[in-house]
Amino acid sequence: MKEEIFMLKMNGYCCSQIIMELGLKQLGKENPDLVEAMAGLCDGVKCGKICGAASAAGCLIYLADGEGAERGLVQEYLDWFEETFGALDCDELLGDDPMAKMEKCPMFVESTMLKLEELLEWE
């Protein structure tokens, strides 16, 4: 998975786009327009707010299992993310360290995909 994340990053994808691209692949779907639109969630909706990986995961949960999302899967995921990483907002996750984005974001993406596999019971 790390290699796939790295390749997508090298192709210019941000965290939210990578989450959606990998999720669509898991679902056996393609939707380039949706992946492009996910850029709006990058960098905490472009203002340091909720992490793009976290917000994209919420979108992907609804896409994969709308009923489960309504029953609390999104909240379960967000609770896990905040407990695991200590915050939901990019500014808090990355602080003032300019290198943190390169070091931490791939970990957020990989961990998110692993958690989604668990929550959505993907094999």
Side-chain angles (χ1 to χ4, degrees), residues 40-100:
L41 301 177
C42 299
D43 302 316
V45 195
K46 302 292 186 189
C47 64
K49 299 300 180 195
I50 189 167
C51 168
S55 55
C59 295
L60 185 55
I61 291 168
Y62 266 92
L63 182 64
D65 183 1
E67 289 180 23
E70 287 293 320
R71 288 191 315 270
L73 281 181
V74 173
Q75 190 61 55
E76 183 178 344
Y77 165 78
L78 291 172
D79 290 345
W80 166 85
F81 189 97
E82 189 168 26
E83 182 177 308
T84 301
F85 301 115
L88 285 171
D89 286 352
C90 280
D91 286 348
E92 290 180 63
L93 291 165
L94 303 178
D96 292 326
D97 182 358
M99 294 303 292

Side-chain angles (χ1 to χ4, degrees), residues 2 15 18 20-21 23 32 38 50-51 53 66 76-78 87 99-100 102 111-112:
K2 286 180 186 181
C15 57
I18 294 170
M20 188 55 69
E21 181 70 22
M38 297 304 288
I50 189 167
C51 168
E76 183 178 344
Y77 165 78
L78 291 172
M99 294 303 292
M102 291 180 64
S111 296
T112 288

